[in-house]
Amino acid sequence: MAIDQAQLWKEYARVYSRLRALSPYRNLLFEIIACARPGHDTRLLDLCCGDGGLLWALNASGYHCEVTALDKSEAMLGQARTEPYAGPVEFIAADLDQPISNWGLFGRYDRFICNNGLYALRSPASVLRRLHSHATSKAVLVVSTPGPDADPQALLAEHLQGLNGEELPHERHRLQKLLAPVAGYNEKICAELGTRAFHAPDEPQLRHWFESSGWQIAEIRRTYAGQNWLVIAERR
């Protein structure tokens, strides 16, 4: 039976922010921002913004550039709107699988960020290609997306590294209890990775998505406890 993505995101939105309790997830958000290098005058498009995690990380890092946060899930956008942000921000409900003229964008953007969203699109390469119509000549695109053989337990293991004997059992128990609902939704997503519902590209496929859509890859590496690819690309 095909997964009902609309219902999945609606339910997941209630607990998605709990991922920030994991140091690998927080580090991922900060790593993405460091790769994007937004300036004071940067216009940034946050694709598949989810619950507003990128806004949280931008605020925590002292960046207050102009952000357009886009997601097709009203439930996720509802959570994102509650995220405090010191800079100008606009929230847009839009489906990235639709033509970009339907997204409600105006002007051009210097930075594009897509964290944990590309894998759920019908045609990732097509979406990346559409971005050019709203990209400045020196635009930078930063994408983090799951790779093959994802293992969510690796995130907990990385988080617990460095804790001493007394702290370890307590922290493990605290996180397992806190993240139990999140784990349930992640299991559903992982079960669909590599199927028609969700993509889990290997490196050649990932490179093809970018290179066939007019983006020049500057760097590609694994991140997020080995769960995700991180790609930094520039407009050709």
Side-chain angles (χ1 to χ4, degrees):
M1 182 177 179
I3 191 169
D4 183 343
Q5 288 197 35
Q7 187 64 25
L8 173 66
W9 305 134
K10 181 179 180 179
E11 295 174 358
Y12 203 177
R14 297 196 298 264
V15 296
Y16 195 88
S17 63
R18 298 187 187 190
L19 278 171
R20 298 182 209 170
L22 282 171
S23 58
Y25 187 73
R26 297 193 301 272
N27 292 340
L28 171 64
L29 294 173
F30 292 133
E31 184 180 10
I32 289 170
I33 292 170
C35 292
R37 307 185 308 278
H40 177 73
D41 297 326
T42 295
R43 295 194 75 221
L44 188 155
L45 181 58
D46 183 7
L47 301 152
C48 303
C49 70
D51 71 330
L54 189 69
L55 292 173
W56 170 82
L58 284 166
N59 230 24
S61 301
Y63 293 107
H64 305 130
C65 61
E66 179 183 347
V67 176
T68 300
L70 186 155
D71 205 289
K72 72 176 181 179
S73 168
E74 290 284 3
M76 286 291 189
L77 282 173
Q79 294 295 324
R81 288 188 178 98
T82 67
E83 189 63 50
Y85 184 62
V89 58
E90 178 184 17
F91 298 97
I92 299 178
D95 184 350
L96 270 62
D97 284 312
Q98 298 299 313
I100 199 167
S101 58
N102 295 348
W103 295 7
L105 304 178
F106 72 93
R108 295 184 178 272
Y109 293 88
D110 309 291
R111 299 291 185 271
F112 298 87
I113 292 178
C114 185
N115 178 40
N116 283 333
L118 202 65
Y119 73 94
L121 303 176
R122 286 200 299 267
S123 176
S126 297
V127 173
L128 296 179
R129 191 176 301 114
R130 292 174 193 142
L131 299 180
H132 287 287
S133 62
H134 283 276
T136 60
S137 60
K138 296 184 179 180
V140 173
L141 167 64
V142 181
V143 169
S144 173
T145 194
D149 303 320
D151 177 15
Q153 290 301 316
L155 299 172
L156 179 60
E158 183 172 296
H159 176 90
L160 296 174
Q161 285 180 357
L163 296 182
N164 63 37
E166 294 181 357
E167 296 173 318
L168 188 58
H170 172 77
E171 181 66 1
R172 183 188 298 276
H173 177 74
R174 183 186 75 86
L175 281 177
Q176 287 177 335
K177 183 177 180 180
L178 177 69
L179 298 175
V182 176
Y185 295 118
N186 277 345
E187 287 174 4
K188 292 180 181 180
I189 292 171
C190 287
E192 297 290 335
L193 285 174
T195 70
R196 293 172 61 89
F198 295 136
H199 304 279
D202 57 17
E203 185 171 341
Q205 183 181 14
L206 189 65
R207 288 186 177 276
H208 176 72
W209 286 353
F210 281 81
E211 293 167 0
S212 66
S213 59
W215 291 93
Q216 180 66 47
I217 294 177
E219 185 176 355
I220 182 170
R221 62 177 184 260
R222 298 305 290 263
T223 186
Y224 197 35
Q227 306 306 292
N228 280 23
W229 293 108
L230 182 68
V231 184
I232 309 165
E234 301 166 350
R235 185 180 183 184
R236 286 179 180 170

